[in-house]
Amino acid sequence: MNWLHAVILGIVEGITEFLPVSSTGHLNIVEKLLHYDIDSVGMTAFTAVIQVGAILAAVVYFWGDIVRIVTAWFKGLANAEARTDPDYTLGWGIILGSIPVAVVGLLFKDFIEVTARSLWVIAGALILWSGVMWLADRRSDGPSDAAHASAGKGMREVSIKDALIIGGFQALAPVFPGISRSGATISAGLFLRFDRVTATRLSFFMGIPALLAAGALEAVTAAGDISATVGWSATLIATVVSGLVAYATIAWLLRFVSSNKFTGFLVYRVLLGLVIIVLVATGTVAA
């Protein structure tokens, strides 16, 4: 892979990782347009590894929150009184909520790396899950304008049950990449009556352990394939670019959801899905 393509794919990853539009779907589409074999082990691993850049951006952005949650969790392990801290419960929620996607990722690894990457699957998931997101957006008590930004449940009301449900939704994303991990987790949060900002922040927190683990696993197990097919220099460039772009995207998204519904994303998802169907059906791009 040349460095220009690495920068392009890094930008695509950084923009789409946390938006509810499917980063894997976008990467697969752009990789196909750049004439890469998205079914190869090396490209599959590349896609997973460059996500680490975006996740590290989330770690940096939410560093204060992460330190607070981790500190409360460790205090709660040693002190019964400290277990009343909502951050202690949130810490357990993030840990337990990350288990479903890890189990699904390991059990369906072959399916995820081959069949799930079909553009037919991505297009269908983009369109169909938009209906789920529309229902979640309308059902939620989240803000529809800045004056109602506090409507719905907040971060300190997250229960273990809530986290497990969100984690279950998150596990759908790797099997059907067009769903979008953030789209799945945000939808779950809205169905559970969290406000839009909280649902979005929960999506970030739930994604950090899962995506860091997935990227690290691919970097270790498929290091040789990445070196032979993509090249580590291009992979590192794409990872750094994705991190820088993702940081700006996170800041923008949190401001956006504080005063807007997700309607614009839903329209975009449906249109993108239809474009993919046309491209594949006409033979312009192979599925």
Side-chain angles (χ1 to χ4, degrees), residues 134-212:
W134 181 83
L135 289 174
D137 207 20
R138 297 308 181 273
R139 176 181 169 83
S140 76
D141 290 327
S144 56
D145 54 62
H148 297 87
S150 61
K153 295 193 296 184
M155 191 67 71
R156 298 183 71 80
E157 297 173 83
V158 179
S159 67
I160 297 296
K161 180 182 177 181
D162 292 332
L164 288 172
I165 292 173
I166 294 172
F169 271 64
Q170 180 171 245
L172 296 171
V175 182
F176 304 103
I179 285 179
S180 162
R181 187 202 60 79
S182 59
T185 51
I186 289 172
S187 295
L190 294 177
F191 276 126
L192 292 168
R193 302 293 191 181
F194 288 100
D195 65 65
R196 287 183 178 82
V197 174
T198 299
T200 304
R201 288 171 67 88
L202 281 171
S203 175
F204 290 128
F205 293 156
M206 297 293 284
I208 289 173
L211 294 179
L212 279 179

Side-chain angles (χ1 to χ4, degrees), residues 30-286:
V30 177
E31 288 164 359
K32 289 287 289 185
L33 292 174
L34 294 176
H35 305 294
Y36 291 104
D37 179 10
I38 65 172
D39 292 332
S40 72
V41 176
M43 282 304 299
T44 301
F46 167 83
T47 300
V49 170
I50 68 171
Q51 290 177 332
V52 172
I55 295 304
L56 290 178
V59 171
V60 173
Y61 192 93
F62 294 107
W63 182 249
D65 296 294
I66 292 171
V67 170
R68 189 190 71 248
I69 294 167
V70 171
T71 300
W73 185 76
F74 275 109
K75 284 183 177 179
L77 292 179
N79 187 315
E81 185 177 348
R83 293 170 197 161
T84 59
D85 187 340
D87 284 329
Y88 172 75
T89 302
L90 180 58
W92 271 118
I94 293 171
I95 293 169
L96 297 175
S98 299
I99 294 175
V101 71
V103 172
V104 169
L106 292 174
L107 289 179
F108 297 95
K109 188 173 187 295
D110 292 338
F111 175 84
I112 291 168
E113 293 181 347
V114 181
T115 307
R117 292 170 68 83
S118 165
L119 294 185
W120 284 117
V121 174
I122 291 170
L126 278 168
I127 295 171
L128 294 176
W129 194 260
S130 295
V132 177
M133 288 194 66
W134 181 83
L135 289 174
D137 207 20
R138 297 308 181 273
R139 176 181 169 83
S140 76
D141 290 327
S144 56
D145 54 62
H148 297 87
S150 61
K153 295 193 296 184
M155 191 67 71
R156 298 183 71 80
E157 297 173 83
V158 179
S159 67
I160 297 296
K161 180 182 177 181
D162 292 332
L164 288 172
I165 292 173
I166 294 172
F169 271 64
Q170 180 171 245
L172 296 171
V175 182
F176 304 103
I179 285 179
S180 162
R181 187 202 60 79
S182 59
T185 51
I186 289 172
S187 295
L190 294 177
F191 276 126
L192 292 168
R193 302 293 191 181
F194 288 100
D195 65 65
R196 287 183 178 82
V197 174
T198 299
T200 304
R201 288 171 67 88
L202 281 171
S203 175
F204 290 128
F205 293 156
M206 297 293 284
I208 289 173
L211 294 179
L212 279 179
L217 179 63
E218 291 291 350
V220 172
T221 60
D225 295 292
I226 292 177
S227 179
T229 58
V230 180
W232 273 104
S233 59
T235 302
L236 292 175
I237 289 172
T239 302
V240 171
V241 171
S242 75
L244 295 174
V245 175
Y247 190 91
T249 302
I250 293 168
W252 174 83
L253 181 61
L254 289 174
R255 288 196 300 271
F256 178 85
V257 299
S258 68
S259 57
N260 293 277
K261 292 179 179 292
F262 289 100
T263 306
F265 292 116
L266 305 186
V267 173
Y268 173 78
R269 286 172 59 96
V270 172
L271 291 176
L272 178 61
L274 293 174
V275 169
I276 295 171
I277 290 173
V278 171
L279 291 174
V280 176
T282 59
T284 304
V285 177

